[in-house]
Amino acid sequence: MADVTQLAELTGNIGTVGYGLAAIGPGIGVGIVWASYIQSTARQPESAGLTRTYAFLGFAVSEALALLGFVVPFIIT
């Protein structure tokens, strides 16, 4: 049988790497939400109050996904 060499050894909690990867998506999502809000307010300033509510809802949903990405890797391991 051939001699197998080990390239890398993982020690500690790999959940931290999972959270780092999971934080990318919500970070992009929050950027898209606020960019869309700014663009819609610039196009039609009188609707800023209505679109602000939707912007905060989109922000909250994106951040909830970030919190799930933080918690789930620690639950699984």
Side-chain angles (χ1 to χ4, degrees):
M1 196 155 182
D3 185 26
V4 178
T5 59
Q6 186 175 1
L7 294 176
E9 180 179 346
L10 294 176
T11 59
N13 193 352
I14 195 70
T16 55
V17 175
Y19 176 64
L21 293 174
I24 293 171
I28 293 171
V30 167
I32 290 172
V33 165
W34 290 113
S36 297
Y37 170 69
I38 291 169
Q39 185 177 20
S40 68
T41 303
R43 287 176 183 241
Q44 196 170 6
E46 61 271 7
S47 71
L50 179 66
T51 54
R52 185 179 305 122
T53 303
Y54 292 126
F56 280 117
L57 285 173
F59 172 75
V61 168
S62 296
E63 287 300 315
L65 291 176
L67 290 174
L68 282 176
F70 178 68
V71 172
V72 169
F74 294 110
I75 293 173
I76 292 174
T77 57

